[in-house]
Amino acid sequence: MIEAGVEVIDELSMAIEKLNKYNDIDVIMMDCIGYNQDMKSKVSMGTGKPVVLARTMIARVLGEMLNQ
């Protein structure tokens, strides 16, 4: 039996390996609202690249819109 958390970590590890094969990546966009800060940190540390979470981008854009 594979726990959901373990499966996600394995998928992130595989994604990090794939991303590290490319030299032309400037920023990584994690485009699922289900990705969290821990996952972002793991990807950022594993790739050495800046990472943006979809939920963060949405929150900031909404914050800008509501503060106008």
Side-chain angles (χ1 to χ4, degrees):
M1 172 184 252
I2 297 176
E3 294 183 29
V6 173
E7 186 176 330
V8 169
I9 291 171
D10 289 342
E11 288 180 16
L12 280 178
S13 296
M14 290 186 327
I16 290 167
E17 285 181 34
K18 289 179 183 179
L19 289 167
N20 282 329
K21 293 179 182 178
Y22 298 95
N23 295 325
D24 58 348
I25 294 175
D26 296 318
V27 177
I28 297 168
M29 175 68 187
M30 295 180 73
D31 65 348
C32 175
I33 292 180
Y35 290 132
N36 60 38
Q37 188 64 41
D38 290 337
M39 294 171 177
K40 173 185 175 180
S41 295
K42 181 175 176 70
V43 172
S44 181
M45 290 175 56
T47 62
K49 303 290 183 185
V51 177
V52 177
L53 290 177
R55 62 171 59 179
T56 304
M57 185 178 287
I58 291 168
R60 290 187 183 195
V61 168
L62 286 174
E64 287 291 320
M65 291 171 60
L66 296 174
N67 284 327
Q68 287 186 9

